[in-house]
Amino acid sequence: MHATLPLMEISDFPALRRNRVDTLQVNLGYKCNQSCLHCHVNAGPTRTEAMSRETVFEVIAYLKSAGIGTLDLTGGAPELNPHFRLLVKAARDIGVRVMDRCNLTILHEPGQDDLADFLRDNGVDIVASLPCYLEDNVDRQRGKGVFDGSIRALQLLNSKGYGKPDSPLKLSLVYNPQGPVLPPAQGPLEVDYRKHLGEKFGIAFSELYVLTNMPIQRFGSTLISKGNFAHYMDLLKNAYQPANLQSVMCRSLLSVDYQGYLYDCDFNQMLGLPLQWKNKARTHLRELMGADIANNPIVVKDHCYGCTAGQGSSCGGALAS
Ligand code: SF4
Ligand code: SF4
């Protein structure tokens, strides 16, 4: 795979500083039942990196000490970490909102038969990738049969009460483009998703998040292989909207890797760009207990233009909508 960081190191992206942390985004490991083309963590079935039980307890301790409002669980497939359920329950017990970045097909994997019930019983919000409402496009990006598995999973989640109008069980869908283009406007695309998924499959969902593909990892490497990297970076830079700087996710989110080390966001984690704090090469979550990192400088490089292009992009969808 081609490294993209050397192409983004020299950057004119504006300096940013942190606000108060309200969301802890925790990567529970890189194992996944899928191997998607755009995956920015290069997750897959053969990856073995996973957060240990000891680190999970450090996450729980930090949630308590820092008064974090939201725990955002990601991976790989976070549900494949053997301590996933322990962490979810502990966070919910102290009143923390939990979001599970679920790839949907995980609900059909062996040993996960009761996963939907577990998520419902613990009031976990689900954020699920469905990069198109058309079968061919999803299968091309995420693997053969993924669309069908995703549709069946959405129907299962609906049957548990997820995504229905007025239901407290939130089911958010995530769209990202198939190739090196900016995503379309979030609002109109959500209308299209609702119409197509509702009419064809009887599926309801809470909201659609539209994400820009980041020029890193597997997607970035494909751009380099096809000679599209510079063109894509120009696209992102030409669509730069300074107003999005106010709400980029790194200002209020802290990203934790499977070993407990800290980053300003998941993308920086994947690029190996640690949180800069007290001149340390890298900082562990346990070192941050009781510390205030508001106003801490954020590590920015050219990939950050992926967050500020057009309507903006974050793990909660468009910024400008
Ligand atoms: S489902 Fe998510 S984590 Fe797994 S390979 Fe696809 S994008 Fe990566
Ligand atoms: S990639 Fe986006 S979220 Fe991450 S540091 Fe850059 S602007 Fe912030």
Side-chain angles (χ1 to χ4, degrees):
M1 195 172 68
H2 302 287
T4 54
L5 185 57
L7 301 173
M8 302 186 298
E9 277 279 16
I10 300 169
S11 176
D12 58 357
F13 194 83
L16 285 177
R17 285 185 180 268
R18 294 189 146 273
N19 295 327
R20 188 185 177 278
V21 179
D22 62 28
T23 299
L24 196 67
Q25 188 174 63
V26 176
N27 191 312
L28 288 178
Y30 302 155
K31 186 168 182 181
C32 188
N33 56 313
Q34 295 182 189
S35 306
C36 307
L37 184 64
H38 68 279
C39 183
H40 68 269
V41 297
N42 291 331
T46 58
R47 300 295 295 261
T48 55
E49 301 88 341
M51 184 172 279
S52 69
R53 187 178 168 88
E54 183 190 5
T55 307
V56 163
F57 277 108
E58 288 172 334
V59 169
I60 296 166
Y62 184 76
L63 290 174
K64 284 182 188 162
S65 80
I68 301 288
T70 300
L71 174 65
D72 181 344
L73 296 176
T74 181
E79 306 88 348
L80 290 178
N81 182 299
H83 315 298
F84 170 79
R85 297 187 187 205
L86 181 158
L87 176 56
V88 168
K89 283 186 170 177
R92 295 299 290 141
D93 281 351
I94 56 171
V96 173
R97 175 190 174 215
V98 177
M99 297 163 65
D100 176 28
R101 293 198 176 259
C102 176
N103 68 19
L104 295 174
T105 59
I106 191 69
L107 291 161
H108 309 308
E109 287 292 302
Q112 302 291 344
D113 315 18
D114 61 344
L115 179 59
D117 287 339
F118 171 83
L119 296 171
R120 176 201 58 198
D121 294 346
N122 287 280
V124 176
D125 290 346
I126 295 177
V127 181
S129 282
L130 192 69
C132 190
Y133 49 71
L134 300 175
E135 182 167 2
D136 282 358
N137 287 346
V138 172
D139 284 2
R140 198 177 318 127
Q141 188 180 111
R142 295 175 75 77
K144 196 157 175 50
V146 168
F147 183 80
D148 177 61
S150 300
I151 293 297
R152 285 188 289 113
L154 289 170
Q155 290 167 334
L156 172 67
L157 291 169
N158 278 168
S159 76
K160 306 288 180 188
Y162 271 100
K164 295 284 179 68
D166 303 325
S167 170
L169 295 165
K170 273 185 78 179
L171 172 58
S172 307
L173 300 184
V174 177
Y175 165 91
N176 63 287
Q178 302 286 309
V181 292
L182 289 179
Q186 184 165 282
L189 189 64
E190 181 177 300
V191 173
D192 287 352
Y193 262 68
R194 265 192 215 293
K195 187 168 185 310
H196 192 88
L197 293 177
E199 286 176 0
K200 197 146 186 226
F201 304 106
I203 287 171
F205 62 94
S206 310
E207 59 198 331
L208 179 74
Y209 295 156
V210 165
L211 267 55
T212 301
N213 285 322
M214 276 285 162
I216 64 172
Q217 297 293 82
R218 207 174 276 160
F219 182 75
S221 178
T222 305
L223 289 174
I224 294 174
S225 301
K226 294 187 172 174
N228 284 336
F229 189 86
H231 169 76
Y232 189 66
M233 285 310 308
D234 285 347
L235 184 74
L236 297 180
K237 289 184 178 187
N238 289 336
Y240 173 63
Q241 294 293 334
N244 289 329
L245 288 177
Q246 294 308 316
S247 42
V248 284
M249 61 184 174
C250 49
R251 298 184 75 119
S252 57
L253 172 148
L254 191 59
S255 168
V256 187
D257 73 11
Y258 77 95
Q259 293 176 301
Y261 290 99
L262 301 171
Y263 306 81
D264 288 308
C265 72
D266 198 30
F267 306 121
N268 284 11
Q269 181 182 146
M270 295 313 137
L271 286 168
L273 297 169
L275 178 87
Q276 276 184 0
W277 192 63
K278 292 189 172 175
N279 292 322
K280 287 165 169 282
R282 59 181 188 168
T283 303
H284 196 274
L285 190 63
R286 74 174 86 89
E287 299 174 83
L288 221 59
M289 299 289 175
D292 181 7
I293 56 166
N295 212 35
N296 202 61
I298 294 167
V299 179
V300 295
K301 304 282 177 201
D302 259 11
H303 65 297
C304 297
Y305 283 106
C307 292
T308 52
Q311 64 193 325
S313 181
S314 75
C315 53
L319 300 173
S321 64

